[in-house]
Amino acid sequence: MRILLVEDDLRVASVMKSMLVRRGYQVEHAATARAAVEAAPCDLVLLDLSLPDGDGIDVCRALRTRDDNLAIIAVTARSDERDKVNGFRVGADDYVVKPFSMAELQLRIEALLRRAARGVAARQTREIGPLRIDFTAREVSVDAKPVALTRKEFDILASLARQPGVAVTRERILLDVWQTTWSGRHTLEVHIASLRAKLGQPDLVRTVRGVGYRLQAE
């Protein structure tokens, strides 16, 4: 999952990039409007609206015109309602006002990517390395060999498969699978251990210390 981070404050950009990389994202940084517009294609943009060489609103409009499926989150100190309205009008999918917590930003990124993942689910199947998942039939195979999973194990795998290669928080998995965060860490760990054993390739589901789990993308 590639993220374009558009932020002219180098200190803020460094902290954000470090946290995002730790969660499994590939991050490219652009400090100016021109660099943002000329950046390589990505999956999601975190866009500061106050840039030294142009207005982030214009950048948002240009990025949206180029790619209607691109996920864009405005991350800015502009809290005026007019700025928010303008941001949404030119194509922003979400709007986060500084200061914010990385936990909040992570949840907003996950929510936006889940919406995009519905298109993946609509394709019914997905192949990730040796792993093949049929979301409609709820069937899984590894190297073309069927793998029998329980309902919870399949739901955990599906939660991870929506964002292959990206660290998914324990809280997000618990919400996806149990619709609560009260099931407890031990319950999830037990199911993860069983899932790894059944897949026969433990490295497919990796632990991201302090965050959660990641489905290893090829």
Side-chain angles (χ1 to χ4, degrees), residues 8-206:
D8 67 322
D9 187 320
L10 299 184
R11 183 184 61 82
V12 173
S14 177
V15 172
M16 291 180 65
K17 182 174 181 178
S18 177
M19 295 295 289
L20 291 166
V21 169
R22 184 166 178 261
R23 284 164 168 78
Y25 300 105
Q26 297 179 33
V27 182
E28 179 181 355
H29 174 230
T32 65
R34 179 175 179 177
V37 173
E38 295 178 350
C42 62
D43 302 296
L44 183 143
V45 178
L46 298 176
L47 176 61
D48 184 7
L49 298 184
S50 299
L51 299 170
D53 62 335
D55 195 323
I57 292 292
D58 295 328
V59 175
C60 185
R61 182 185 293 109
L63 294 175
R64 175 58 68 220
T65 300
R66 182 193 305 166
D67 185 353
D68 192 51
N69 295 317
L70 179 63
I72 302 175
I73 301 179
V75 182
T76 177
R78 298 186 189 177
S79 58
D80 187 83
E81 184 176 358
R82 287 183 300 175
D83 289 315
K84 295 181 181 179
V85 170
N86 288 336
F88 285 120
R89 278 180 175 169
V90 298
D93 298 292
D94 201 352
Y95 198 104
V96 180
V97 177
K98 298 176 181 178
F100 58 87
S101 69
M102 282 303 300
E104 177 190 358
L105 182 61
Q106 173 71 17
L107 288 173
R108 289 177 181 268
I109 291 173
E110 290 178 356
L112 193 52
L113 293 178
R114 280 200 306 278
R115 282 182 239 161
R118 289 171 188 155
V120 173
R123 295 203 308 265
Q124 299 182 347
T125 63
R126 185 162 198 177
E127 295 185 4
I128 305 165
L131 180 66
R132 184 178 187 274
I133 305 172
D134 187 323
F135 293 96
T136 302
R138 295 179 66 86
E139 294 177 346
V140 175
S141 62
V142 176
D143 290 329
K145 298 178 181 178
V147 177
L149 300 179
T150 66
R151 182 169 63 87
K152 294 296 186 186
E153 289 164 355
F154 181 89
D155 289 344
I156 292 171
L157 183 61
S159 179
L160 296 172
R162 295 189 185 106
Q163 302 175 59
V166 173
V168 181
T169 63
R170 293 181 178 86
E171 291 76 15
R172 181 69 263 163
I173 298 172
L174 289 171
L175 283 172
D176 286 345
V177 178
W178 282 273
Q179 288 75 54
T180 179
T181 59
W182 290 98
S183 293
R185 177 172 177 170
H186 180 67
T187 299
L188 179 57
E189 288 177 344
V190 169
H191 282 80
I192 289 287
S194 177
L195 175 61
R196 284 170 170 159
K198 290 182 178 181
L199 292 177
Q201 298 189 25
D203 285 346
L204 277 175
V205 179
R206 297 194 175 185

